[in-house]
Amino acid sequence: MEVQTRVLVDGRWTTTNLDIQEILARNSRARQKMNKVSSEVKPPVVGLWTQTLVRSPVIVSIIPARVRHRSKNDVVFIYEDRVAIKEIIGGERIEEDPFSDISLDHVIVKDDFDSPIKAAKVLGLQRKPKTSRFPGKYWSATADRSLSPPETKPEPFHDNEIPPQIMVLSVASRMLVFLFAYHDVFGRVHFLSNTWPLPAQVSAMEELGVHLAVDPKYVFFLFILRYNSDAARSRAMAVGACENKIVLYALKSMDEMRQEVQTSGRMDAHRFIPIRKEKHADVDGIILKMEFLHPSRGDDHHVILLVIVAKDQKTRLIRYEWDCRSDFGSLEKKPAQVLPLAEQLPLLLIPLTYGSSFALICEYEIVVYRGILTGNAVGQKCVLDYAASPQEAGRSNKSPVWTQWARPMRLSNRAGPMMDHIYLCREDGMVRFIDIREDANPMVSSNYQVGTLQANLGSAFATLDLGDESNDLLVAAGEMGDGGLWLLKPRQSLDLVGAIRNWTPLRDIASTSTAEPPKHATQRVESPSKSETRLFACSGLGPDSGAVTEIRIGTEAVKLGPDIDLSELAQEGIVDMWPLPVCSHTGIYLLVAYPTCTELILLPSLSNEEPRALSEYEGLNLDVRSIAAGSTADGFLVQVTERSINAIAQERGIPPSSSTIDCIGITNACFLTIPARTTVLLFVIRRVDGFYLHHGHFGLREGRIAFEVLGEPVPLQSEISSLAMQWIEGWIVAFVGTLAGTVQTYIDYSGSSFVSDYVYQLEGQSPVCDSLAATAFGKTSDEGSDGHLLVCGLRDGTVQSLLFNRDRSKYPALSFCQELHVGTTPVKVVSDTTREGRVVLVCDQNLYTLEYPGTPSATNPATVNKIWLTDPTSPDFQQRPTECLSQANTMLPHGCSKFGAGSLFCLSGNTLLLTDLSPSADSVIVPRHLRVNGTPTSISYSEKFKRIMVVYTMAAAQQREPSQRTVGQSAITFMRPDAHALGPNSNSQDMPNVLSAADMIRGETILGAMEWFPTDRVEKRYHMIVVCTRTQRQAGRDVAGRLLLFTAKMNEIGEVEVTLKRTMEREGPVWAVAAYGDSSLIYGCGNELILQTLDMDSKRFGSACRVGLRSAVSQMSVRGTDLHVSTVSSGHHIFRVEKDRLLPKFASTSARAGTRHLCMPESLVVTSDLECRVAGLWKPPHPRLDRTAPTVFEAVLPRSITRLCEMEKAVWQKKSQVIIGSCEDGAIYQLVILTEQQWRLLAFMQNMGMREPRICPFACPSAHERHIEPSSTKKENMHINGDILLRIIERGGRSLLAEMLHKTPDPDPDKRYADYAMAEDRSQRFRELVKAVFPEATADDWGLVLGWIRSLLQPAL
C-alpha cells in the first residue's frame, strides 16, 4: 500500500508515492540514530542529602503532666512529629509583683518517631486536692527556680521510679507509644518508651489512632503534688478510627507497673507495658467525638465510654459500659440516642465531673446533658454570648469557632462535687469562662468573656499549675502567629508574661547570599562572599501576626531588663569589665575598666530602681585602670591595678575592712576558685630584668585581710599577652600566653610554688594568643574519662584548642586538637560558668559558643553556635555589635531574678545589655519578627538597594461584617534587614507602601515582583521593578492581569521611591515574570508563556511570542540560555530561545502538581512538588526523542517543600553552598547534592541505622530494608536522610558505628540482613566505601567519616 507524501531530495521538497513499510523503516532508523546519540551520555549517579534544620513550630496540643517526677511541674507540648517537655519556672517572688518572672524552660525533646503523631493523652494517677492553704501568700523559689510550694521539698530521683503520669501517643506507623522521662545518676534527662502495635486497617478511613480517650477517674478535685493513692488512676483507654472501628484497652495500675520496674533492674533496660487486655468493638458510622465520662460518687468500678457517631445525616450518642474489675467480661453497648438537628456537629465534647454528665459545645450554644445512665440524656441549652464579628475584622468571611477547653487549676480545690469551671477559647483568641452547676437552674450559672489572647488559636490551649489559689496561668500556641503565656488575676485583664514563637504559615523565603553553589558536598568556594548570609521569610496572617521573619539558628540569650547607658567615659573605649556580687543580694556591682580610670556601677535587682555609678568606694582605687577583678570564696572583692592589689571584706553591703598590697608593674592577672577551698590570684609583674609570675591567696589575720604569696616568683621568657588557670585533679595549672606566639604551662603540685612544665609553640599567620580559657569536658561514649582543654583566641580570628595531658611519659603537656577560623578580628575567649565543655567567643563583634562534647579533632570537631540576643518585649530586636563581654560567676545569688549564674554582660558602644545565656547545648531556632501591617505573600532581596522587597496585603481600612466579602489591598515595601517593624504605629523610616493609590486597581492582587536590569547597546545598565498582578473584571467574574514597570530611586532621607512608567494589560493573570538576555521579559499569563523584547532606543516592547502550556506557571528562572518553567499541574519544562521564539527543550518525566525548582551546576535541576517529593532532573547535552529530562534522584519527605533557595555556610564551616527548602508549616530543610561515592557510603550507614532500635526505635522495617548495600535501581533510594545519620552521631558515634558493623547475624532469619550478614564481610565493604570517598583514609579510620558527616550536619543558618 502506497501513500502520497513529501520528501527532501537534494535539498528540495518533492511529492512522491512511498510504501508505508518504507516510511516506518525510515522513522525507525531516525529513532535509532537519536537514541544512539542520547545513550552515549548517561545520566550522572548523584544522591540527595536532606536534613531537618528547623522543625515545624505548629503545636497540636498542650498537656500539663508530671511525666518526669512528682516534684517537677512539667508541661508537654505535642507537635506533629515530636514531643517536648517544658517546666514552669518562676523567679524571685516579691509582694509588689508576684509571678513576675514566669516562663517555660525547655527540658528535653523526642523527635525520632519517624511518622506523624495522630493523638496524645496522659494516663496514670490524677492530681489530688490540697487540703490546706499555703502558709504564706508569697514564697521564694527553690534553687532550681521551680514553681513549687514550700512544703513540697524536692525528692530524690531514683533510676527505677515511674513518674505519676505517662504519655500515650498514637502514631501513623500503626502503633501506640507509651513514654515518660527520668533522671539518671548524673542528673541528665532521658526518655523511656515502649510500643504496642495497633491492628491493621482495612481501609484508610478505618485506620486506628485518630481518636484517643483515657478514663479520667476524676476524684472531684484537681490540684497538685499528692499521689499517695492508686484510687485515682486511669483504668481504661480507647483508640478509634475515623469510622467503624474502636479498640478498648484495660490498663494496669500504677502499683503494678512500679513493681515491674523495681524488679527489672535499671530504667533504661526495662520495657514496660501499661496494657492489660485488649477488646475490639465495631461502630456503625463516622466517629465525631469520643470521651470517657466520670462515674458517679460511690460507683468507683464503673467505666463509661461515650462515642458520638454520624450516619445517614443523623448524629447519635453511643455508650459502652463495663466493670473494670472484670476487664471486658461485663462490656455492654447501650442503645443509641439521636441528637437534635442543631447539635449534629458539636465542636467540643466536655465530660463533667459529676453524675456522668457532659456538655456539647456548638457554634452558638452550649448544651449540658445529664441522666444518660438512666435512659436518654436530657439536655439544657445555654446561648453563648457570641460576638457577631471576629476580633480582627476583615480577615475572614466566616464566624470563628470554638477550638478547645480547659479547667482552671486555681478553682479546682474550691469546686464542690456539683460544679464545674471551664475555659473556652475561640480561634480568633477570645476566651470565655463558664460555670456549670448541677443543682442550679439554669445549670450554666456564669458565662462571661475573660479577654482576648491576641493570637490565632487551635487545639493547643491549656491552664497550667501555678500553685496559687487566686490566679490562673493560660498557655496557648498560635496557629498562624505567636502564642504565649497569659497571667489572669481576679478582676483584671489578661497579662502576657511570655511568648511562644511561631513563624507559620511560611509562604516565601529569600537569602542574601548570591554566590554560586559548589558542584558537590565536599567542594569549597574559593572566594567566599564577605557579606553575612541571612535568611528571611514571609510568615503570619493579618496585621497582628503578619511579619517578615529572619530565621536564625544558634544559642539564645534573653535580655534581662532595659538597656543601661554608661557614662561618657565609655566613648573612650572600655578595656574590660567584671561583675561582682553584693553581699546583701540587692543587686550586683559592675567594675568597668577604662584606659585611664575605673568606674563602679551598682545594678539593682529590682526593676523599679535605676542603676547608679558610685563615685568612690572605700578600699577600691577608681582613679587608675583596673587590670582584673573578682570575688573570692570567702566573700572578698578584689581589684588588681598596675600598682596595687585591693581587697574588701563585705558585710551587709558595708565594707568594714579593706587591704591594699602594693605591687608596682602588674601587667596581667586572673582568678581561680578552688571548690570548697580558696581562691587563687595569679598575676605577672614587669621588672627591669624581665617578667615574673606570682600567685597567692587571701585570708584573715587578726581581723584584717592578708594576702599570702605561694612560692617564689617564676621568671618568664617573653612579654605576656594572656593568662588562665585551672584546677586539675589536685594541681593548680597556670597557662601563660606570650607575644612570642607560645603558651607556657606551669604547675603547682602541692600549693607551694610553680614549676615550669612545657612550652607550646602556636602556629599561624599571627599566632599571638590574646585570651585564654581553660575548660573541662565530661565523659562520652568514645572517651571514657574526663579531659581538660585550653582554648586560645588568636589575633588573626582563629581559635586553637589544646588538650592538657597529665601523663608526661607518653604525651607532652599540651597537644594540638583543632583549629577553627571564626573571623578576622582578635578572638576573646571566656569560659562558660553554666556548662562544662563550653566557652563563649567574641570575634568580629559577634558572639559565639564553642561546645566540646569530647576531645576535639578534625574528625570530632567542636560545635560552633552563634549567640542571638533576644528581647521578650520586642520581637523585632536587632542585635547590635558586641565589643566587650563578661559573664557572672557561679557565686552570684540564685534568688536574684535579674542576675544569676551565667548572666552575660554585653557592651555595645556605651550601652550595656544584660542577658541570660541558655545552658542548653542544642542549637535552636531564634526567630526575629519584623511586623508588617498586613499579610506578606512574597519576598526578594534587592541587589541595588540592599533592602528586602516585600509584597503584602494590607489590612482592611474599616470594620466589615462577616457576611460581606473581604477585599484586600496589595502593597510593596522595601525593608532594611536591620530595621524595626512596619505597621500603623511604626516609627521606622521605611515606607509602609511605596505604591500610590493611582498605581493599583481596586481589588488588584500583586502576584510577584522582581528587579530588572535591562542593558542597551553600549552596555549601559538600567534598573526597573517589574510587578505582575491579577485583576477582577468589572463586567463579570473573569480574571485578567497587568504587568507594571516602575523605576526606583533612593531619596534624600534614604527611602525607596518608585514611579510607574508602563502598564501592560493582559487577558489573564500574570503569574510570574523572568528577565532574559539584555532586554527581554518572559512572563506567564493564564496558560501561556509570552516573550517580549524591549527596544532600548524607542523604549517600546516588540511583538509578543506565545507558547501554550497545559497549566499556569508557578515559577520561572533563567539559567544560561535556558528558561526553566515550573507549572501548577503539568510538571517542569525547559525552553530555549531562538530568534525571539520559545522552543521546547526538555520536560519532566511526570506531571507533578505545584512544582518549584532551583537550578544547579552540572545540568541538574532540583524540583519540589505538593506531593512531598523532591526530585533531581538532569538536562542531557543532546535532545532526546521524547524530550524528557531524566530523574536522577527522588526523595519522599514528611511534608511538601514550597520554596527553594541557595545559602552559604559560615566561615568556620568552610564556606560551602547548600540548598534551603522551606515548608508552609514552618519546617526548613537543608539539602546537599552528593556524588555517587558519597551516596554509597552514606546509604550503607543509613541502611544499617534503620535496622538499629537505638536509631529508629519506632520503625516498621519492610523486606527491602533488610538490604544494606545501596541500590540505585529506584530513584527513591538515592535519598539520604540526614536525621538518621545525626542520631548515629549523637547516640554513640564511633562506638555505635562499630557495633553495627560488628553485629553478629540475628538468629531470626526474618530479621537478618539479606546481604553482608557476616560482620567481617560488612566491615570489609564499609572500608571499601570509605576508601572510595577518602583515598587517604587508613584501615578502620571511621573518625574521618564521622567528622565529614558532622560538617554536613552543620546548619547554614
Side-chain angles (χ1 to χ4, degrees), residues 70 158-163 180 192 254-267 270-272:
R70 65 186 65 185
H158 305 285
D159 59 353
N160 61 348
E161 180 181 0
I162 286 185
F180 62 86
L192 181 66
M254 295 301 293
D255 286 340
E256 291 179 278
M257 287 190 287
R258 193 175 297 114
Q259 291 175 2
E260 291 177 357
V261 171
Q262 291 174 352
T263 58
S264 63
R266 293 182 57 84
M267 183 76 76
H270 177 62
R271 308 288 289 175
F272 71 100

Short mmCIF file of all heavy atoms in Angstrom, two decimals, residues 70 158-163 180 192 254-267 270-272:
data_model
loop_
_atom_site.label_atom_id
_atom_site.label_comp_id
_atom_site.label_asym_id
_atom_site.label_seq_id
_atom_site.Cartn_x
_atom_site.Cartn_y
_atom_site.Cartn_z
N ARG A 70 7.29 13.52 90.44
CA ARG A 70 6.15 14.15 91.09
C ARG A 70 6.45 15.57 91.55
O ARG A 70 5.53 16.37 91.73
CB ARG A 70 5.69 13.31 92.27
CG ARG A 70 6.70 13.20 93.40
CD ARG A 70 6.24 12.23 94.47
NE ARG A 70 6.17 10.87 93.93
CZ ARG A 70 5.71 9.84 94.61
NH1 ARG A 70 5.27 10.02 95.83
NH2 ARG A 70 5.70 8.64 94.07
N HIS A 158 15.20 8.46 91.54
CA HIS A 158 15.68 7.10 91.51
C HIS A 158 15.63 6.61 90.08
O HIS A 158 14.70 6.92 89.32
CB HIS A 158 14.83 6.20 92.41
CG HIS A 158 14.74 6.69 93.83
ND1 HIS A 158 15.78 6.58 94.72
CD2 HIS A 158 13.75 7.33 94.50
CE1 HIS A 158 15.43 7.10 95.89
NE2 HIS A 158 14.19 7.57 95.77
N ASP A 159 16.61 5.82 89.70
CA ASP A 159 16.68 5.39 88.30
C ASP A 159 15.68 4.29 87.97
O ASP A 159 15.64 3.82 86.85
CB ASP A 159 18.10 4.92 87.96
CG ASP A 159 18.54 3.76 88.83
OD1 ASP A 159 17.80 3.44 89.78
OD2 ASP A 159 19.62 3.20 88.57
N ASN A 160 14.87 3.85 88.91
CA ASN A 160 13.84 2.86 88.61
C ASN A 160 12.48 3.31 89.11
O ASN A 160 11.65 2.50 89.48
CB ASN A 160 14.21 1.51 89.21
CG ASN A 160 14.33 1.58 90.74
OD1 ASN A 160 14.35 2.66 91.30
ND2 ASN A 160 14.40 0.42 91.38
N GLU A 161 12.27 4.61 89.14
CA GLU A 161 11.00 5.15 89.63
C GLU A 161 10.15 5.64 88.48
O GLU A 161 10.59 6.45 87.66
CB GLU A 161 11.26 6.29 90.63
CG GLU A 161 9.99 6.90 91.18
CD GLU A 161 10.27 8.03 92.15
OE1 GLU A 161 11.45 8.33 92.37
OE2 GLU A 161 9.30 8.62 92.66
N ILE A 162 8.92 5.16 88.41
CA ILE A 162 7.98 5.61 87.39
C ILE A 162 7.30 6.89 87.87
O ILE A 162 6.85 6.96 89.02
CB ILE A 162 6.95 4.51 87.09
CG1 ILE A 162 7.59 3.40 86.28
CG2 ILE A 162 5.77 5.06 86.31
CD1 ILE A 162 6.64 2.33 85.84
N PRO A 163 7.20 7.90 87.02
CA PRO A 163 6.51 9.14 87.44
C PRO A 163 5.02 8.90 87.59
O PRO A 163 4.49 7.87 87.17
CB PRO A 163 6.83 10.11 86.31
CG PRO A 163 7.09 9.25 85.12
CD PRO A 163 7.72 8.00 85.65
N PHE A 180 7.72 8.15 79.12
CA PHE A 180 7.91 9.11 80.20
C PHE A 180 9.39 9.44 80.25
O PHE A 180 10.21 8.83 79.54
CB PHE A 180 7.39 8.58 81.54
CG PHE A 180 8.07 7.34 82.04
CD1 PHE A 180 9.24 7.43 82.79
CD2 PHE A 180 7.56 6.09 81.76
CE1 PHE A 180 9.87 6.29 83.24
CE2 PHE A 180 8.18 4.94 82.22
CZ PHE A 180 9.36 5.04 82.97
N LEU A 192 12.08 7.15 78.26
CA LEU A 192 11.90 5.71 78.20
C LEU A 192 10.57 5.45 77.53
O LEU A 192 9.55 6.03 77.90
CB LEU A 192 11.90 5.10 79.61
CG LEU A 192 11.73 3.58 79.65
CD1 LEU A 192 12.93 2.90 79.01
CD2 LEU A 192 11.57 3.10 81.09
N MET A 254 -0.85 1.72 88.54
CA MET A 254 0.49 2.27 88.69
C MET A 254 1.33 1.43 89.64
O MET A 254 2.55 1.32 89.49
CB MET A 254 0.41 3.71 89.16
CG MET A 254 -0.24 4.66 88.17
SD MET A 254 0.62 4.72 86.57
CE MET A 254 2.16 5.48 87.04
N ASP A 255 0.69 0.82 90.65
CA ASP A 255 1.42 -0.05 91.56
C ASP A 255 2.00 -1.25 90.82
O ASP A 255 3.14 -1.67 91.08
CB ASP A 255 0.50 -0.52 92.69
CG ASP A 255 0.21 0.59 93.69
OD1 ASP A 255 1.01 1.55 93.73
OD2 ASP A 255 -0.80 0.51 94.41
N GLU A 256 1.23 -1.84 89.91
CA GLU A 256 1.72 -2.98 89.14
C GLU A 256 2.92 -2.59 88.29
O GLU A 256 3.93 -3.31 88.23
CB GLU A 256 0.61 -3.54 88.26
CG GLU A 256 -0.52 -4.22 89.02
CD GLU A 256 -1.59 -4.73 88.07
OE1 GLU A 256 -2.45 -3.92 87.68
OE2 GLU A 256 -1.56 -5.93 87.75
N MET A 257 2.81 -1.47 87.58
CA MET A 257 3.93 -1.04 86.74
C MET A 257 5.14 -0.67 87.58
O MET A 257 6.29 -0.92 87.19
CB MET A 257 3.49 0.14 85.87
CG MET A 257 2.57 -0.27 84.74
SD MET A 257 2.28 1.07 83.56
CE MET A 257 1.21 2.12 84.52
N ARG A 258 4.91 -0.09 88.75
CA ARG A 258 6.01 0.28 89.63
C ARG A 258 6.76 -0.96 90.10
O ARG A 258 7.99 -0.99 90.17
CB ARG A 258 5.48 1.09 90.80
CG ARG A 258 6.56 1.80 91.61
CD ARG A 258 5.95 2.67 92.69
NE ARG A 258 5.15 3.74 92.09
CZ ARG A 258 3.84 3.83 92.22
NH1 ARG A 258 3.17 2.93 92.91
NH2 ARG A 258 3.17 4.84 91.67
N GLN A 259 6.02 -2.02 90.43
CA GLN A 259 6.65 -3.25 90.86
C GLN A 259 7.42 -3.91 89.73
O GLN A 259 8.51 -4.46 89.93
CB GLN A 259 5.58 -4.22 91.39
CG GLN A 259 4.95 -3.77 92.70
CD GLN A 259 3.81 -4.68 93.12
OE1 GLN A 259 3.52 -5.66 92.46
NE2 GLN A 259 3.17 -4.32 94.24
N GLU A 260 6.90 -3.83 88.51
CA GLU A 260 7.61 -4.40 87.37
C GLU A 260 8.95 -3.70 87.15
O GLU A 260 9.96 -4.34 86.86
CB GLU A 260 6.75 -4.29 86.11
CG GLU A 260 5.53 -5.20 86.12
CD GLU A 260 4.68 -5.00 84.88
OE1 GLU A 260 5.04 -4.12 84.08
OE2 GLU A 260 3.67 -5.71 84.73
N VAL A 261 8.94 -2.38 87.30
CA VAL A 261 10.18 -1.63 87.10
C VAL A 261 11.18 -1.95 88.19
O VAL A 261 12.38 -2.14 87.94
CB VAL A 261 9.88 -0.12 87.05
CG1 VAL A 261 11.17 0.68 87.06
CG2 VAL A 261 9.08 0.21 85.81
N GLN A 262 10.73 -2.03 89.43
CA GLN A 262 11.64 -2.26 90.54
C GLN A 262 12.26 -3.64 90.51
O GLN A 262 13.34 -3.86 91.03
CB GLN A 262 10.90 -2.04 91.86
CG GLN A 262 10.52 -0.58 92.11
CD GLN A 262 9.66 -0.41 93.35
OE1 GLN A 262 9.23 -1.38 93.95
NE2 GLN A 262 9.43 0.85 93.73
N THR A 263 11.59 -4.59 89.88
CA THR A 263 12.13 -5.94 89.80
C THR A 263 12.89 -6.20 88.52
O THR A 263 13.43 -7.29 88.34
CB THR A 263 10.98 -6.97 89.91
OG1 THR A 263 10.04 -6.73 88.86
CG2 THR A 263 10.30 -6.87 91.26
N SER A 264 12.96 -5.24 87.64
CA SER A 264 13.60 -5.48 86.33
C SER A 264 14.96 -4.84 86.22
O SER A 264 15.60 -4.97 85.19
CB SER A 264 12.70 -4.96 85.21
OG SER A 264 12.56 -3.56 85.34
N GLY A 265 15.40 -4.13 87.24
CA GLY A 265 16.73 -3.53 87.16
C GLY A 265 16.68 -2.08 86.75
O GLY A 265 15.76 -1.34 87.10
N ARG A 266 17.68 -1.65 85.98
CA ARG A 266 17.81 -0.25 85.63
C ARG A 266 16.69 0.20 84.69
O ARG A 266 16.15 -0.59 83.92
CB ARG A 266 19.17 0.01 84.97
CG ARG A 266 20.34 -0.17 85.92
CD ARG A 266 21.65 0.14 85.21
NE ARG A 266 21.62 1.49 84.67
CZ ARG A 266 21.93 2.58 85.38
NH1 ARG A 266 22.23 2.46 86.65
NH2 ARG A 266 21.90 3.76 84.82
N MET A 267 16.40 1.51 84.76
CA MET A 267 15.29 2.06 84.00
C MET A 267 15.52 1.96 82.50
O MET A 267 14.62 1.62 81.75
CB MET A 267 15.09 3.52 84.39
CG MET A 267 13.92 4.18 83.71
SD MET A 267 12.35 3.70 84.42
CE MET A 267 12.36 4.65 85.92
N HIS A 270 14.59 -1.44 80.85
CA HIS A 270 13.28 -2.04 81.11
C HIS A 270 12.31 -1.72 79.98
O HIS A 270 12.36 -0.66 79.39
CB HIS A 270 12.73 -1.51 82.43
CG HIS A 270 11.35 -2.04 82.74
ND1 HIS A 270 11.09 -3.36 82.92
CD2 HIS A 270 10.16 -1.40 82.86
CE1 HIS A 270 9.81 -3.52 83.15
NE2 HIS A 270 9.23 -2.35 83.12
N ARG A 271 11.44 -2.66 79.70
CA ARG A 271 10.39 -2.48 78.72
C ARG A 271 9.06 -2.62 79.43
O ARG A 271 8.63 -3.72 79.78
CB ARG A 271 10.50 -3.54 77.62
CG ARG A 271 11.87 -3.64 77.00
CD ARG A 271 12.19 -2.49 76.11
NE ARG A 271 11.42 -2.52 74.89
CZ ARG A 271 11.43 -1.57 73.97
NH1 ARG A 271 12.16 -0.51 74.16
NH2 ARG A 271 10.71 -1.68 72.89
N PHE A 272 8.42 -1.51 79.71
CA PHE A 272 7.18 -1.55 80.49
C PHE A 272 5.97 -1.55 79.54
O PHE A 272 6.01 -0.94 78.47
CB PHE A 272 7.11 -0.35 81.44
CG PHE A 272 6.90 0.96 80.75
CD1 PHE A 272 5.65 1.54 80.70
CD2 PHE A 272 7.95 1.62 80.12
CE1 PHE A 272 5.44 2.74 80.06
CE2 PHE A 272 7.76 2.83 79.48
CZ PHE A 272 6.49 3.39 79.45
#
